[in-house]
Amino acid sequence: MLSHVDENGQANMVDVSLKEVTLRDASAEAYIKMSKQAFEQVLLNQNKKGDVLGVARIAGIQGAKKCADLIPLCHPLALSKVAVDFEFDEENSQIKVTSYCKLAGKTGVEMEALTAVSVATLTLFDMCKAADPLMEIHGMRVTQKAGGKHGSWQRD
């Protein structure tokens, strides 16, 4: 039986009250590809809207903290750490956005990590769309998770 469906086939929030508290973390990534001009504006902090990366970092952190408000069956979590970082790929005029979420809890933080990179890349799009309305967001995925019943794994 699927854990998010009850015996009547209805959507159901999983009961985690009897699960043990363990240390859990997860990381995710996404990419935003843009024109060379828009990319250079971000790289050199010359976007007319200001500190694009700083705003996107804060937006990603807020997104992770609000995950349960956005994804209906996610549990509200007391995250102990959220980090959002950026790597520049000049050859392809794209920015890799990464996130890391951590807590001691009864359920994992993969959705929070995904929400962090999603909101951060959407914020980059919003702040750079005047320079390049044709940007593309792609490659969003969980890259690693640790803790819990299913253990740890890392994407190659």
Side-chain angles (χ1 to χ4, degrees):
M1 175 184 252
L2 298 172
S3 62
H4 283 82
V5 178
D6 68 15
E7 61 277 354
N8 298 317
Q10 302 297 313
N12 177 48
M13 186 174 186
V14 176
D15 183 357
V16 297
S17 58
L18 298 178
K19 290 176 80 176
E20 288 190 38
V21 172
T22 62
L23 190 60
R24 299 162 183 267
D25 66 31
S27 299
E29 67 185 15
Y31 296 82
I32 184 165
K33 184 171 178 51
M34 57 187 66
S35 69
K36 289 194 183 300
Q37 176 191 8
F39 181 83
E40 287 180 14
Q41 286 178 2
V42 175
L43 184 64
L44 300 172
N45 196 21
Q46 294 178 342
N47 184 287
K48 292 178 182 176
K49 291 189 178 180
D51 181 7
V52 171
L53 297 176
V55 173
R57 177 175 284 113
I58 295 300
I61 292 168
Q62 284 184 309
K65 293 176 2 180
K66 293 291 191 179
C67 182
D69 293 335
L70 300 169
I71 311 296
L73 300 179
C74 281
H75 294 85
L77 302 178
L79 296 167
S80 58
K81 174 70 177 171
V82 179
V84 175
D85 291 302
F86 308 96
E87 294 176 30
F88 296 96
D89 176 357
E90 292 186 53
E91 184 177 327
N92 296 300
S93 298
Q94 69 180 359
I95 302 168
K96 177 181 179 182
V97 181
T98 60
S99 69
Y100 173 77
C101 295
K102 182 178 179 181
L103 60 63
K106 296 181 177 195
T107 189
V109 291
E110 297 95 291
M111 293 307 299
E112 288 71 16
L114 287 166
T115 302
V117 295
S118 177
V119 172
T121 54
L122 288 169
T123 300
L124 288 172
F125 192 102
D126 180 52
M127 295 190 75
C128 298
K129 67 185 178 214
D132 180 10
L134 302 176
M135 289 176 287
E136 295 179 13
I137 296 170
H138 63 95
M140 185 170 45
R141 63 189 187 167
V142 175
T143 56
Q144 72 83 30
K145 76 102 147 156
K149 183 170 120 180
H150 299 290
S152 302
W153 63 266
Q154 184 163 341
R155 189 177 295 275
D156 293 332

